[in-house]
Amino acid sequence: MKVFFSSRARSFYYAFNGLWFVIRTQKNAWIHAMATVCVFLLAFWLRLGLQDWAILGLAIASVWMAEFLNTALEAVVDLASLKTIHLQKSEKM
């Protein structure tokens, strides 16, 4: 059981390192982070119901997942090509 909890703790450590990497390296991630905080504060202030919170959570999670996937794809493109090619330029703009 001890191994299970230590492996889960290690998984969370890597997940939060990935989150910090995205926030540190991606300009739009700061915008997403501020929008997330604003939306949560506004929803709390408006005292939204559980169903509305669930929908907000799904929407915010979708945006963050898209940002994480975009960051991962950019990293793969950077690793796969030593020189900048036309397709890579158009993808990063």
Side-chain angles (χ1 to χ4, degrees), residues 15-91:
F16 285 114
N17 276 346
L19 173 65
W20 181 242
F21 174 80
V22 170
I23 289 175
R24 219 179 47 236
T25 62
Q26 302 300 311
K27 296 175 195 172
N28 289 339
W30 281 104
I31 297 169
H32 297 318
M34 291 299 111
T36 299
V37 169
C38 290
V39 166
F40 275 133
L41 290 174
L42 184 62
F44 183 75
W45 181 67
L46 292 173
R47 298 180 182 158
L48 295 182
L50 287 177
Q51 184 177 10
D52 296 328
W53 275 102
I55 293 169
L56 278 177
L58 288 173
I60 290 170
S62 298
V63 169
W64 278 105
M65 288 303 299
E67 184 65 37
F68 293 146
L69 285 172
N70 182 47
T71 302
L73 288 174
E74 284 182 1
V76 168
V77 168
D78 289 343
L79 286 172
S81 64
L82 296 175
K83 61 180 183 177
T84 305
I85 57 174
H86 177 69
L87 183 59
Q88 181 182 1
K89 279 184 181 178
S90 66
E91 182 65 31

